[in-house]
Amino acid sequence: MDKVLFFKSFLRSPLQVASLIPSSPFLVNHIARHVNQLAPLRVAELGAGTGVLTRALVDKCPSIESLLIFENEENLKSHLRNTFPQVPVYADAFALSEAMQEQSIEQLDCIISALPVSWFSTEQNEYLMKMVCHCLKPGGAFIMFQFSLQMRKYLRTTFQDIEIKYVPLNFLPAFVYYCRKT
């Protein structure tokens, strides 16, 4: 069901969804294991899609007390609200600060992004990095997965501690950026 919904959403809005199918269990588990090791209390997921990673965060990361999820595509957002009624779902990832204020969250321990940044302008990518840095607490983690290495230059301007892992068992194979705010 998730794959069909995701594919239909891709066909309607390919620049918003940017993939044909949801992330693979290999990619989701890779990220969820890392997040669980961090034991964050406050987390935001940008570009949640059908919620395959959201499900792993809810089920496998017991330290999370506050989870905010963002999805811009209408059908996916509606699906997320029905699937995770206990989790606030927002449309605009660029309004992260406002959502945090609404939820009385001062800073986040971890931000995870699957946003289709390859379609973003230089200004949007620069704003995304500033916003992430502003919303993360010192020592907080930023995790981003993409299908290319294009974001390295933006991440290097914001983070000194960056590790990149390659996850080939995904369609498309993914690069996961693990960054720490100093």
Side-chain angles (χ1 to χ4, degrees):
M1 176 62 179
D2 282 356
K3 289 180 183 176
V4 172
L5 174 63
F6 202 90
F7 184 68
K8 285 180 179 179
S9 297
F10 171 80
L11 292 176
R12 267 189 306 279
S13 308
L15 296 181
Q16 283 182 319
V17 178
S19 181
L20 294 170
I21 60 173
S23 300
S24 74
F26 298 102
L27 178 59
V28 167
N29 290 330
H30 183 84
I31 294 169
R33 273 193 310 273
H34 187 82
V35 172
N36 195 39
Q37 289 173 352
L38 296 171
L41 300 176
R42 296 163 304 278
V43 177
E45 180 187 2
L46 314 179
T50 58
V52 293
L53 180 57
T54 310
R55 171 60 56 211
L57 295 174
V58 168
D59 291 348
K60 298 178 181 180
C61 300
S63 68
I64 296 176
E65 294 175 0
S66 298
L67 176 61
L68 308 175
I69 55 178
F70 294 80
E71 177 53 58
N72 200 28
E73 203 281 325
E74 283 300 321
N75 293 314
L76 295 175
K77 185 171 56 176
S78 177
H79 172 75
L80 290 166
R81 285 186 172 138
N82 291 331
T83 306
F84 304 100
Q86 75 283 15
V87 179
V89 180
Y90 297 92
D92 185 6
F94 287 103
L96 175 60
S97 294
E98 291 84 352
M100 290 169 58
Q101 276 184 305
E102 184 180 304
Q103 297 295 322
S104 301
I105 297 172
E106 288 187 33
Q107 290 188 302
L108 294 164
D109 300 297
C110 181
I111 299 172
I112 305 163
S113 175
L115 295 174
V117 295
S118 58
W119 304 121
F120 288 7
S121 67
T122 299
E123 293 78 20
Q124 287 173 308
N125 278 316
E126 289 172 354
Y127 180 79
L128 176 65
M129 291 300 99
K130 287 178 187 169
M131 178 189 73
V132 163
C133 192
H134 173 75
C135 293
L136 273 180
K137 73 174 192 176
F142 178 56
I143 301 168
M144 171 182 268
F145 61 96
Q146 296 292 300
F147 307 123
S148 74
L149 292 171
Q150 136 187 7
M151 285 305 291
R152 280 188 300 189
K153 68 179 180 179
Y154 295 106
L155 292 168
R156 285 188 177 140
T157 64
T158 306
F159 300 98
Q160 293 177 339
D161 185 6
I162 302 170
E163 184 179 352
I164 303 170
K165 296 287 186 179
Y166 180 63
V167 180
L169 297 175
N170 190 63
F171 180 81
L172 303 162
F175 295 94
V176 183
Y177 300 90
Y178 294 104
C179 310
R180 176 94 45 193
K181 180 179 175 182
T182 53

